[in-house]
Amino acid sequence: MPSLRAHVFDWIIRFQVKPRFARTGGDIAAVRRLMNQAKFPEPPGIVFREGSVGGVPGEWAERPDLATDAPRLFYLHGGGFIACSPRTHRSVTGGFALRGFRVFCPDYRLAPEHPFPAALDDAAAAWSAFAAAGPAGIAGDSAGGNLSLALMLRARRDGLPLPTAAVLFSPSTDMLGEGESMRSNARRDAMFDPTKLQDLVEAYLAGHDPADPLASPLRGDLSGLPPLLFHVGAREVLRDDSVRFAERAKAAGVSAAVTVWPVVPHVWQLAQTFLPEARRSLSEAAAFLKSHARVPEAVR
């Protein structure tokens, strides 16, 4: 049963944030400013420090008392490919760190200044170096979920290590927007109007084929991917991006599970200090990743 706070949070997003998105009129700079203004409290007791992996700048998040054999997580933040940063997503990366992970979140290049495949190139460079240090999981939300899935397809193509498992929060998986929820949830989604999402797609792809599996991972060969866990809101326009991906992954022999959460808006995990559903989602995701973690040889 959804919590009262889930209804309150949905109301706040629906009546305070969604109208502001509508007023941007497709101005990417205005959308970026709006997304970058989002402020969510950081979990206490977590150390955030700047770093670089594979030549890509980013931010580490970890508990000071973390054991040397703690599981490692590569996190790709969302923001419609045009906004946000590791700092805007500290509530999530810190939430994983609080649950025992050593987390690196790359500060990948953003569109429209750096369109496809710049963000994916950065993710691949950072992941190649991160994975070289030992087994790790991957997680991402929204656009970062898209990049996480595309990165796994690219890693498999290029012979890079695959993650031990992956968690995807409300990912975008189909740039053609052919999921039924794009229509059935057009009015129910607390944050997004599907027509506004197209502006972000165009800014990111800059004319590139939206059916390219590295842009729309739903359309790729999904065989051989690691175990996947999707969390998505029932009212989201992106709901079926998760549902369809999980179905296709299972048909390809991949272990994939999707949980559809009632009431909560897009990437509700950001509100983990306020929302019980956010804390539960992060805890379930952490348990899933840990269940597939492997301890590096060096610390055995």
Side-chain angles (χ1 to χ4, degrees), residues 153-173:
L153 297 182
R154 179 161 162 171
R156 187 189 59 194
R157 182 198 73 185
D158 295 346
L160 297 176
L162 286 168
T164 54
V167 167
L168 301 314
F169 296 144
S170 304
S172 165
T173 69

Side-chain angles (χ1 to χ4, degrees), residues 5 12 30-31 59 61 67 87 93 107-108 135 140 143 159 171 186 190 197 211 239 248 259 273 281 294 298:
R5 290 190 175 195
I12 291 171
V31 175
E59 185 173 80
R87 289 188 66 87
T93 58
D107 195 8
Y108 58 82
L197 287 179
R239 180 197 65 204
R248 287 205 63 232
T259 303
T273 59
S281 175
R294 296 195 299 272

Side-chain angles (χ1 to χ4, degrees), residues 33-72:
R33 286 193 297 272
L34 180 57
M35 287 187 172
N36 286 345
Q37 288 171 3
K39 302 291 183 184
F40 292 93
E42 301 167 10
I46 302 302
V47 175
F48 298 94
R49 57 182 175 87
E50 293 182 358
S52 177
V53 175
V56 180
E59 185 173 80
W60 290 92
E62 58 189 38
R63 286 198 330 243
D65 63 341
L66 209 57
T68 56
D69 62 347
R72 303 163 65 248

